[in-house]
């Protein structure tokens, strides 16, 4: 059976539908940064997802090619994630999605080195005839956070976020969103296939 991060690390990928405190360890990611409304068809955000998966599956399928990555084990590609922010806004203003700045992410297995990542960029560029120059190798230490499973439309997230902030305050913590710590979402549902009222999204906010 392929290693499934969602099942093996449930504290990070299967939180309850009530807020909890979690310490997230350092992880490496495939990352693409951009800005603008994520709902625009053919827009920068939608394009970023294609770039991420192009590299994610190049690495996953490397076992069938010429590059044998040291320490490789078969795994399920982890879910799509995103860091979101807006200049001069504390948190997220859902009424002005055109002002979104974001970083789309997919977690990398720990065995993938920067050299392996660079190889995947070159390999995907050659095979897919696509420009992957926007794709970056990101090491990120998220640290102490409050998180919650949100069920429903992305536009309904503010109610879940309010519960998270009430919980963290009651536990003696304060919000720590900054220029390097972000509103974080992990997408467990495919919005193209699941009705908006059933979407499962982990929302995570940095705290101190």
């Amino acid at each position: 059976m392929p290693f499934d991060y969602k099942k093996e690390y449930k504290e990070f990928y299967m939180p309850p539908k009530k807020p909890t405190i979690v310490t997230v360890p350092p992880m490496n990611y495939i990352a693409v940064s951009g800005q603008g409304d994520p709902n625009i068809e053919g827009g920068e955000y939608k394009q970023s997802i294609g770039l991420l998966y192009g590299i994610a599956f190049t690495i996953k399928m490397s076992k069938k090619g010429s590059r044998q990555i040291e320490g490789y084990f078969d795994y399920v590609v982890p879910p799509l994630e995103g860091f979101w922010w807006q200049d001069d806004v504390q948190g997220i203003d859902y009424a002005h999605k055109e002002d979104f700045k974001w970083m789309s992410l997919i977690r990398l297995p720990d065995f993938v080195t920067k050299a392996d990542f660079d190889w995947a960029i070159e390999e995907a560029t050659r095979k897919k005839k696509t420009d992957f120059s926007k794709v970056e190798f990101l090491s990120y230490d998220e640290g102490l956070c409050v998180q919650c499973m949100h069920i429903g439309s992305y536009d309904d997230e503010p109610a879940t976020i309010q519960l998270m902030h009430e919980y963290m305050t009651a536990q003696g913590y304060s919000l720590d969103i900054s220029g390097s710590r972000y509103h974080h979402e992990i997408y467990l549902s495919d919005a193209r296939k699941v009705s908006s009222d059933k979407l499962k999204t982990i929302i995570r906010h940095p705290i101190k």
Side-chain angles (χ1 to χ4, degrees):
M1 289 285 290
F3 187 90
D4 190 335
Y5 285 85
K6 296 192 302 297
K7 294 178 180 178
E8 298 296 333
Y9 296 103
K10 291 183 178 179
E11 67 269 36
F12 304 131
Y13 298 104
M14 294 290 175
K17 290 181 281 187
K18 60 181 181 179
T20 55
I21 305 297
V22 64
T23 299
V24 184
M27 299 179 189
N28 294 330
Y29 297 90
I30 311 166
V32 178
S33 300
Q35 57 186 5
D37 189 334
N39 297 316
I40 296 174
E41 283 302 325
E44 194 174 359
Y45 179 76
K46 306 270 188 182
Q47 293 175 19
S48 76
I49 295 173
L51 294 174
L52 288 178
Y53 279 105
I55 300 305
F57 279 100
T58 297
I59 293 170
K60 176 177 168 59
M61 302 311 294
S62 63
K63 61 182 179 180
K64 295 187 176 182
S66 60
R67 187 177 185 92
Q68 300 301 306
I69 297 176
E70 185 176 353
Y72 181 97
F73 54 79
D74 196 17
Y75 63 98
V76 177
V77 172
L80 179 69
E81 309 185 32
F83 295 149
W84 298 86
W85 68 96
Q86 290 155 308
D87 291 339
D88 304 319
V89 174
Q90 176 76 338
I92 293 292
D93 179 0
Y94 290 81
H96 292 282
K97 295 177 182 176
E98 70 277 5
D99 296 332
F100 278 160
K101 294 188 176 179
W102 42 262
M103 185 180 294
S104 296
L105 311 159
I106 293 178
R107 181 181 180 176
L108 283 167
D110 292 341
F111 61 74
V112 178
T113 65
K114 178 62 164 57
D116 297 321
F117 176 86
D118 291 342
W119 164 84
I121 295 288
E122 292 178 5
E123 181 78 355
T125 301
R126 181 177 64 83
K127 282 192 170 182
K128 301 176 184 297
K129 304 295 189 288
T130 301
D131 181 7
F132 286 93
S133 61
K134 289 185 177 180
V135 186
E136 302 175 78
F137 181 93
L138 174 72
S139 296
Y140 191 74
D141 185 356
E142 195 164 18
L144 191 65
C145 297
V146 60
Q147 67 179 10
C148 188
M149 181 73 79
H150 171 74
I151 308 293
S153 167
Y154 304 129
D155 290 336
D156 294 336
E157 288 181 3
T160 298
I161 290 170
Q162 182 176 348
L163 291 175
M164 290 166 54
H165 290 181
E166 289 173 354
Y167 176 79
M168 75 180 182
T169 301
Q171 298 298 312
Y173 297 99
S174 60
L175 191 65
D176 194 30
I177 287 178
S178 67
S180 60
R181 304 191 78 200
Y182 310 100
H183 171 98
H184 186 179
E185 299 183 1
I186 303 174
Y187 308 104
L188 302 181
S189 305
D190 186 337
R192 300 169 299 177
K193 301 176 181 177
V194 178
S195 61
S196 62
D197 61 316
K198 295 180 179 178
L199 290 171
K200 291 183 178 181
T201 308
I202 300 167
I203 304 174
R204 191 179 288 163
H205 275 182
I207 59 175
K208 60 183 177 180

